[in-house]
Amino acid sequence: MKPIREKKHRLDSEIYRGERVVSFTICIKDRNKLFVEESIFRVFEKILLAELIKYNCSAFVYLFMPDHAHLTLTGDKSNSDIKKCLDMFKQKTGYWLSKNDPEIKWQKGYYDHILRRKENLDIHIKYILNNPVRAGLVEHWKQYPFKGSTNYNLEDWESNW
């Protein structure tokens, strides 16, 4: 009997290269709560920032909810590799988890969405930043500590709304 192959659900790797914007949602397996302490967020943020530099990418926004993370990344150059950046982030943070909290793992795969227009980007960032408000964690998105951007000063960003 032939083994059943998993259906390919990723776009061609070329789609994730260059100067484009891709939004990712990555989840913690079994919806375990991970991002509830600033120290863990800072470890993951440090790994993310290093991978962004390595793959010529930047982050319009990243936000770590207790059991998942939102990252809206862009390629800064024609040779940027956004998918490789995200994959290496997941791999390195997964390794950190295996050494520091082996009960918690990333869920296999992730959700992604390629943004095509500037106005969609602003709406998308607002939606991500308001995720902790919708979840009842804070009253205003600025109160939520587990977020950042390499493209914006988020404290000033709201003035653009």
Side-chain angles (χ1 to χ4, degrees), residues 51-97:
E51 295 308 304
L52 289 170
I53 292 168
K54 185 174 181 179
Y55 292 99
N56 296 313
C57 297
S58 57
F60 283 108
V61 67
Y62 52 90
L63 186 134
F64 291 78
M65 294 292 286
D67 63 354
H68 67 281
H70 297 280
L71 302 99
T72 301
L73 310 180
T74 185
D76 295 329
K77 299 181 178 181
S78 60
N79 68 342
S80 298
D81 194 332
I82 303 164
K83 182 180 179 303
K84 185 73 170 172
C85 177
L86 190 275
D87 289 343
M88 292 309 297
F89 167 75
K90 268 191 80 177
Q91 179 180 336
K92 290 180 179 182
T93 54
Y95 179 77
W96 184 91
L97 284 169

Side-chain angles (χ1 to χ4, degrees), residues 71-139:
L71 302 99
T72 301
L73 310 180
T74 185
D76 295 329
K77 299 181 178 181
S78 60
N79 68 342
S80 298
D81 194 332
I82 303 164
K83 182 180 179 303
K84 185 73 170 172
C85 177
L86 190 275
D87 289 343
M88 292 309 297
F89 167 75
K90 268 191 80 177
Q91 179 180 336
K92 290 180 179 182
T93 54
Y95 179 77
W96 184 91
L97 284 169
S98 74
K99 297 296 181 196
N100 295 280
D101 198 346
E103 298 297 313
I104 296 185
K105 298 177 180 1
W106 285 117
Q107 182 174 296
K108 183 179 178 185
Y110 45 81
Y111 303 98
D112 62 3
H113 174 73
I114 296 174
L115 283 84
R116 291 183 174 81
R117 296 193 316 251
K118 170 71 172 116
E119 62 271 13
N120 288 347
L121 177 61
D122 291 343
I123 291 167
H124 190 77
I125 292 170
K126 288 177 197 178
Y127 183 82
I128 288 173
L129 289 173
N130 278 299
N131 206 310
V133 176
R134 286 189 302 278
L137 300 174
V138 292
E139 289 185 27

Side-chain angles (χ1 to χ4, degrees), residues 8-43:
K8 183 181 175 189
H9 61 276
R10 245 348 109 227
L11 296 171
D12 185 70
S13 294
E14 234 8 79
I15 297 292
Y16 301 93
R17 292 192 184 115
E19 300 173 42
R20 59 185 77 249
V21 179
V22 185
S23 186
F24 298 95
T25 301
I26 53 178
C27 300
I28 300 295
K29 188 176 180 184
D30 299 325
R31 299 191 64 103
N32 286 313
K33 306 284 188 253
L34 174 63
F35 303 107
V36 293
E37 296 176 23
E38 186 173 355
S39 60
I40 293 174
F41 164 70
R42 293 293 174 205
V43 168

Side-chain angles (χ1 to χ4, degrees), residues 148-159:
S149 173
T150 61
N151 294 50
Y152 299 118
N153 175 348
L154 290 178
E155 294 306 310
D156 295 337
W157 195 74
E158 189 173 34
S159 62

